[in-house]
Amino acid sequence: MDVTCDIFSKRLIISVLWNIGLQAVIAVMLAYIYGCYYVKPLPKYFTRFSMFLSLFCTQNIIFSILYALSGYFTMSLYSSLAKSNFNTLKKICENYDGQCLLEQSLFLQMGGMWMGLYYFLNAHIFSPTTLTFPHIYQDKFQQIKLAIHSILSCGFKNSIIPVVYYCIFYYFWGHKPRNVVSDVYGLYLEDKPLDNILNLFGSGIWIGLWFYTSLFLISVYAMRTVFNIVLTEPMKFPIESSKKLTLHKAIAQKSQFNGYLGTQDLKIMSLTDTVRRKEIFTLSQPGGHPRNWNNLLQECLKIVNDFSKELDSINGDMKPVEIEMLPKRPGSSITPKSTLYTGNLRNMAYSPQLHELKEHNKNKSEDTLLSAIKEEFNILVQRIRQKPGISYLFGELTDTRLKFLLMQAQPVMWTCEGLAFIAAASLKEDKYGVVQTDLPIVISTLINLKQNLDKLTKPGLVPRKHILNDSFALKMKSALLSSVKLSIYKIVITFSKYIHEIPLDPDVQIAIQPFLICKEA
Amino acid sequence: MSIFHSFPNLPGPEETAFCKLNEVYCCGNARYGNISTFSNATKKHPIINVTRDLHHHRTSDENISMYIDVEDNLLKKITSVWYKQGFLEALSVAADPSVNRESPTLAVTASYILKVANILTAFRYFLQPHLKDIGPKIVANYSRTRNWGQVPVKCLAWHPHTTKIAVATVDDNVRVYCSEVTFVSTLKCKAQGHVSSLNWRPLSASELAVGCEQGVIVWTVDPNLMFTKPSSSNAVLLKKNGHSPVTDVSWSPNGDLLISCSGADTSMLVWDTAMETAIPLRRVAGGGNVFARWSFDASKIFTATSSIIFRIWDTKTWTPERWCARGHRVVAACWGPDNILLFAAKGEPMVYALTTTSLLSGSQTTKATPALDVTKVELSSGEPVGGPILDMCWDPTGRYMAMLFEESHLVAVFCTTYIMMQLKIDPCCFVTGVEDEIPCTMAFQQNFNDGACLTIAWSSGRVQHFPIIYSESY
């Protein structure tokens, strides 16, 4: 007796170790793929068909397999830990000579796979996978401590529904996998079948399934929480460095994970970090150019301007779109030559920027056969798209483009606020007047974005297909608007005494008037 | 010799103080006098007088008995009670045999459910005894307004950038007075009950956070629209389980984060108001957080708990430094320039200063020192002044500090100077009410260029602007 027990416990320990090892391997793979979601820019799906196709990308397929395996291993791990014999499919028959199927264990292991798939569907297919950065970042341990409560309660609560689904499924189709398994292994069926409601409830295995599912969900939620906490930790980028990734280069990697970290760091730096701000305001040693600031400004303006442009194209969707979009260069929209700084505002590093020569290479209209065919084809495609069934699949969905744009608005918000707070800090900290030369372009960029956003809120001006009905996107829109306003207010209030000495376009000057008298809602 | 004996004499029996002009204490006849004879600095300020007839009627616990019962059928009665007062009240109506005569089975079921619910609540109060005090009681207990539940003005808040003031009145409406326009916007919505605090969002013209029993309501009042009663679609209610009643709201000076504190919750919430998400900052020791104050440069936050513990949070790492007050909880605290903090504990006539000094080695030391002793004395006119401190305010430039006392009806204003790491507090003047008026709450105007302007809400409903004007040439 003693010896058998010893062997059993040895086997048990080995199986547990194996399970834990496999779990660890799967967790590493899951984490890797999970991370891959955020390294790439968000994919665009504007039609139902492309959305449907995107469900079957390799990443999703691998993910679903991994989750199913993870669910399976978790179930067998927990059931072996609980010293029940549900982690083996076979048992010795009591009434016959031979081996019998242990249906409970089949029920549990299939349930585990289903739970993995269910979680995958819920978390990755039916809900957006955007990484939300917390607005304040506490110590990691503190965050985990705060999250534990919700992880536990969510785990136990959310596991009820999949268990119910699974029981329903097993009631209708449970006999099929059971027959297959017992045929393959040549097992007899001795106990009462579980695809009967009374037997299922009587066996009590559903309680076990619910409990194990809760544990599985808790472990998955915990993994995800820890992963998110580690991913969203703010990072300090150096302003000047030859080896490490510098701040402006990080910001330049727009819509990627580094771009997020970079813009977030820009905001944090503009608010709290005097040392690095000082580095921005310095001039490069040979030459005396404000290189750090120029690099940073260029990237920031690029982010904001690109976003404005996208918004503008959405706003002007109904009207004929202007084809020629002039690349906006810092300094090209204002005329710095004629308006020089006067009065109190220091102006030491001012260098008049050269006007870029525009090249209008007009496209000569070519009337060739090829283009005619192309045109005809396009018209045909357009006409086919109008057909009801096809437009359902291939037509552009309402609000998707705007939603897609707003989902990426977080770095834009950080950039606006970061720029504004650096500009405000420059009033006292900027010895050489590095930032002040570029104040007009910063202000006009922000005003431009604000005006584009205002157009979105005006009823009647927005085409019907861009009206938002997603609460997250709506919140994002209001957050963006409020952060842009905050940025303009910060600059205007800080420079209120000198605002008339900043050379601004008349339009911009008019636009900042309500901010000066605090009348802009 | 108490500091109060060096104050200028109180105005005569028929007189009241109007302003202080370059060290001249200007008093005049209380009935016929006018501040415009002395100064034009507050000429455009809104004239606020909260009288009883302005109040809107509100069904509160006291006057609900005034209504005549209408015979409704049972289902309607229960649903209306459920809608207005909640599930438990509806259960007790259903269980009451004098009301519910129609279906005895429902009455029996309801009474059993009620019993179970009562056992559960009793168990909950056994675990968390601090929740037993219902909302308004907690707010009244921790409020820095004198007689918070009864006075006409519950709290007031100046806008940080313009001459605009929000006043919460006893009927839980918030009125917004503006210097340029004559009309008053009244903010009111169903969720807005037991208003404890107001705060305007910095770097914004229109957003006002209102702390009330259910949570925080963020109003967006467009200053260009001429609505006297903006609809409640302009309000966003931010609430979270267990975070009720909110006793204080405060915006970060950078305008991006909002902190709400509840006297019954050990965590304070840091809100991103646009996304409507909150991150709790939780430290269990000390019990509920009563109020929070941001330092001017947003690098530090002072939070007072309902016990002797108070904390100074660092906003870079979001970690607190824990302090203990002597004897009682901190009732009032205010930040000044150079990250100097003044605070006072309940029931103690002493103001402490918390200063941070940077050493040459780069490390920082913080120490608390007694800064001002305000032990109760009697003035030559027989008026008592001093004693336990009720509230303190420091003007944005850090030159004047006003103080309310629990047992005195005078508002004491002090001059403060902070030179060479030394805080010096000198007497300035007293502000007295007309007749038997008692000061309830007060605030300094945030954008007053000629000096400092103290706004005091008196128990009669009058709101006085008391400018202290100094010119640099003087």
Side-chain angles (χ1 to χ4, degrees), chain A residues 135 138 142 486 489 518-519, chain B residues 162 205 224 255-256 270 280 283:
Chain A
H135 44 274
Q138 294 182 69
Q142 197 69 35
L486 183 133
Y489 263 116
C518 262
K519 280 279 184 186
Chain B
T162 54
N224 303 310
D256 51 351
V270 184
R283 294 292 184 275

Side-chain angles (χ1 to χ4, degrees), chain A residues 250-262:
Chain A
I251 293 175
Q253 295 178 347
K254 208 169 73 103
S255 77
Q256 279 184 27
F257 190 65
N258 283 347
Y260 273 79
L261 284 180

